[in-house]
Amino acid sequence: MPRPKSDDKRTAILNAATRIIVVQGLGAPTAGVAKEAGVANGSLFTYFETKTDLFNQLYLELKSEIASMAMKDLPQGFELRNQFFHIWQNWTAWAVTFPDKRRALAQLSVSDEITPETRAAGHKMMAGIAELLEQIRANGPMHKVPMNFVAGIMNSVAEATMDFMAQDPASAKKHCKVGFEALWRVIA
């Protein structure tokens, strides 16, 4: 009878994959991931059938973590601007707190290894954020612009904001606010 899978080992493998992707890219061998996780290479394949499966599961883990963090303690009943700023603060704080996760997700997001089904599941995890963004877009100057274009603008402004926050931690709150104000002027 096979031993039951350990959540700790699965988490160790995902964390190791994050670190390895940041340093070596998506072409890094699974043996390196297993070694970094402190598990046998064969054990990695007990948790993830293939390297592609590992990447897809890591992508979903990171998307879930962002969505959970961004929506944490979202004030209900507040104006859209205040709700969206709350999400923005949480999202950018996550990215600055976990730079390796942000970098790994950036690589995974442009990888052909991530399946359309996984991407769809990742988008579904962000549904609360997308709904709020849609409400803002619907009443703003970009109401006729496709939502994926608006989301692209949001992501670009967010990436620039996160970069400045990470490079200048003493002014991180200021950069967060300035980035949000720039985005708000564009979409609302």
Side-chain angles (χ1 to χ4, degrees):
M1 171 183 246
R3 286 193 285 173
K5 293 180 183 178
S6 159
D7 287 340
D8 290 342
K9 277 190 183 179
R10 182 180 186 281
T11 299
I13 293 167
L14 290 170
N15 290 337
T18 299
R19 292 187 299 274
I20 293 292
I21 288 170
V22 169
V23 175
Q24 297 180 26
L26 298 174
T30 56
V33 174
K35 182 178 179 182
E36 177 76 14
V39 300
N41 196 34
S43 292
L44 185 143
F45 294 108
T46 299
Y47 292 86
F48 306 97
E49 290 181 22
T50 63
K51 186 176 180 180
T52 297
D53 181 40
L54 170 62
F55 287 167
N56 280 268
Q57 291 301 313
L58 178 57
Y59 176 87
L60 289 174
E61 285 284 326
L62 294 173
K63 283 288 197 173
S64 175
E65 191 174 312
I66 290 172
S68 176
M69 180 61 138
M71 300 296 285
K72 185 179 180 182
D73 301 325
L74 181 66
Q76 299 299 317
F78 281 41
E79 292 180 2
L80 287 177
R81 180 185 171 93
N82 293 341
Q83 287 184 13
F84 198 59
F85 184 60
H86 178 86
I87 289 170
W88 180 265
Q89 286 178 301
N90 287 348
W91 177 22
T92 57
W94 175 88
V96 172
T97 304
F98 303 105
D100 284 353
K101 290 180 179 184
R102 176 182 171 219
R103 288 185 198 108
L105 182 59
Q107 289 189 49
L108 291 166
S109 293
V110 297
S111 171
D112 291 336
E113 296 289 329
I114 305 304
T115 66
E117 296 80 15
T118 298
R119 289 185 194 283
H123 289 305
K124 193 173 184 178
M125 290 174 185
M126 305 299 242
I129 298 167
E131 288 170 17
L132 191 58
L133 185 59
E134 175 57 33
Q135 290 176 39
I136 295 165
R137 180 190 72 97
N139 297 312
M142 301 192 87
H143 66 277
K144 292 184 180 179
V145 176
M147 183 59 172
N148 60 351
F149 187 79
V150 174
I153 290 170
M154 179 185 71
N155 287 329
S156 294
V157 174
E159 288 298 321
T161 301
M162 293 170 199
D163 286 344
F164 275 86
M165 290 172 69
Q167 293 166 12
D168 183 12
S171 299
K173 286 184 179 183
K174 180 183 98 173
H175 296 309
C176 179
K177 182 78 170 153
V178 168
F180 176 78
E181 292 299 333
L183 178 62
W184 189 259
R185 283 191 297 274
V186 171
I187 65 172

